[in-house]
Amino acid sequence: ETSPPPVPRVAVVVFMLKGRSVLLGRRRSSVGNGTFALPGGHLEFGESFEECAAREVKEETGLVLGKVEFLSVINNVMMLNELKKCHYVTIFMRAVMDEDSKEVAMNLECDKCYGWDWYEWDQLPHPLFEPLHNMVNQGFNPFPI
Ligand code: 8DG
Ligand code: MG
Ligand code: MG
């Protein structure tokens, strides 16, 4: 009954790019269940954005990141239901994979994700996870050129 007051949290998510494709997974979560989202998660105490990006991608997909770059940040407040909101400051990073890399994204957290796959930027699946959907709709493009 006496839940602590809600606070904003920091999340780090990663645009994994390969050719013109991006890595997305269908969420298995009370937040955005069934929607397609980037790999990522909560910033831990003392971590850099780069460290958090590499850790979350490794934990969720097994992929090992090389160079990781900062891309953008959003302040994202989502209604969970009529009474409850969640608030994330989400840091978007980018990691470019070798286009002909044969490395496979494994679904290492089956309880949180239905599986990972590469999707062409021009043919993104839907529904996209709300914060990602909003960025794409505003014309955001994660590719270097
Ligand atoms: P953790 O326990 O591993 O730290 O967390 P997680 O279970 O991996 O958290 P998450 O839900 O995957 O990510 C944390 C929050 O980040 C999520 O609830 C909302 C915010 N977020 C966005 N956009 C995206 C996105 O595209 N993908 C992911 N995974 N999270 C996102 O704002
Ligand atoms: Mg995680
Ligand atoms: Mg996650």
Side-chain angles (χ1 to χ4, degrees), residues 10-12 41-48 51-52 55-56 59:
V10 180
V12 174
H42 301 93
L43 186 69
E44 291 183 356
F45 188 85
E47 267 184 334
S48 68
E51 287 166 343
C52 181
R55 178 183 54 75
E56 284 289 345
E59 287 174 357

Side-chain angles (χ1 to χ4, degrees), residues 24-85:
L24 298 174
R26 257 184 79 225
R27 288 174 69 82
R28 189 167 185 169
S29 164
S30 54
V31 184
N33 189 46
T35 63
F36 290 87
L38 303 167
H42 301 93
L43 186 69
E44 291 183 356
F45 188 85
E47 267 184 334
S48 68
F49 297 155
E50 291 80 6
E51 287 166 343
C52 181
R55 178 183 54 75
E56 284 289 345
V57 168
K58 183 100 195 300
E59 287 174 357
E60 297 183 354
T61 72
L63 293 172
V64 176
L65 292 197
K67 194 178 73 153
V68 194
E69 310 166 81
F70 172 82
L71 273 189
S72 185
V73 58
I74 59 166
N75 185 46
N76 173 231
V77 180
M78 273 187 289
M79 294 301 295
L80 293 181
N81 56 49
E82 296 75 36
L83 300 172
K84 241 178 132 192
K85 287 188 228 183

Side-chain angles (χ1 to χ4, degrees), residues 106-141:
M106 296 177 286
N107 191 13
L108 297 181
E109 293 181 344
C110 308
D111 56 326
K112 291 185 178 180
C113 179
Y114 292 101
W116 298 103
D117 214 337
W118 298 94
Y119 297 90
E120 289 279 328
W121 185 253
D122 296 331
Q123 293 164 250
L124 291 174
H126 46 86
L128 289 176
F129 188 35
E130 185 183 303
L132 184 59
H133 171 88
N134 294 339
M135 277 178 103
V136 173
N137 262 21
Q138 286 160 27
F140 181 82
N141 182 323

